[in-house]
Every structure is written in C-alpha cells, then in structure tokens.
Amino acid sequence: QVQLVESGGGLVQPGGSLRLSCAASGSINRINAMGWYRQLPGEERELVALITSGGNTRYADSAKGRFTITSDDVQKMVFLRMNSLEPEDTAVYYCNAVLNTYAGGRYMIYWGQGTQVTVSS
C-alpha cells in the first residue's frame, strides 16, 4: 500500500511564501516522477509542476518564475516552494507520483489527499 501525504498548506498573505511537502511511503521500488497539481474552486484539477527521476522539470505558465519544485529520491519526497503568492493561487494542492512497487512491475499513478492553500489579506 502506497500513501502520499502532503503538508505545509495554510493561510498566507498576498506576496508571501509557502513550502509544500509530500512524503511517499510504502513498498516503493522506483519513482519515475513526482509533481504537484491544484484544484481551484469550481475548476478542474491542473498541473502546477512536476519533476522526473532524471531531474527534468515542467511548470504551468502561472507558476513559472514563482514556484520551484524539488525532490529527494532517497527520502521519497517532493517539495514545492511558492513565492509571490497571489489570491488566484488559492486552491487545494495535491501531490502526485508515478511509481512502481516491489510487488508489481508496472508504473502506476498515486495521489495524496490534498492540502489547502489560501492566499488572502
């Protein structure tokens, strides 16, 4: 059983910063990629940033220049540093991982439960 647990969400003022963390646990063999998605109120879930095992990164246009994704493959964690936060960033942020376990060789997609980020003055 694989679990992804997010932390670091909360309320922050516009222009402030926040760092989200996600820890993967379970019988994980290899992680191919980890990322962050968010779901704005009334909107579909959308990609914020991702990072592959090779270190390649991808950001949504809204995140470029403000957000930075990093990972620790040994600790099986991924982080999202968010700077210059705006009210429009208010959303539930979800951790995502593409990985396989020792029991099964195929890669599968896993999701965390989400953490609320609220940007308001």
Side-chain angles (χ1 to χ4, degrees):
Q1 295 81 5
V2 175
Q3 282 195 0
L4 303 179
V5 180
E6 303 98 334
S7 63
L11 191 152
V12 64
Q13 293 184 340
S17 298
L18 209 60
R19 189 180 80 153
L20 305 182
S21 300
C22 174
S25 62
S27 299
I28 299 171
N29 182 24
R30 295 183 63 186
I31 299 176
N32 192 51
M34 298 187 76
W36 291 94
Y37 288 68
R38 70 184 183 186
Q39 187 166 16
L40 279 66
E43 301 291 335
E44 297 287 329
R45 190 175 301 184
E46 64 183 22
L47 173 71
V48 178
L50 64 82
I51 183 167
T52 70
S53 60
N56 295 319
T57 58
R58 177 186 174 190
Y59 295 91
D61 288 341
S62 61
K64 292 178 181 177
R66 299 190 300 132
F67 296 179
T68 303
I69 187 170
T70 56
S71 64
D72 186 326
D73 292 339
V74 175
Q75 298 295 321
K76 292 175 286 188
M77 297 188 70
V78 64
F79 309 91
L80 184 68
R81 167 61 67 179
M82 302 183 291
N83 295 325
S84 302
L85 284 164
E86 305 167 348
E88 292 76 18
D89 295 315
T90 296
V92 178
Y93 285 72
Y94 296 90
C95 179
N96 163 273
V98 179
L99 56 84
N100 69 349
T101 65
Y102 291 107
R106 62 190 179 278
Y107 282 85
M108 299 180 65
I109 301 174
Y110 295 86
W111 294 92
Q113 292 297 313
T115 184
Q116 177 71 47
V117 172
T118 302
V119 185
S120 176
S121 59

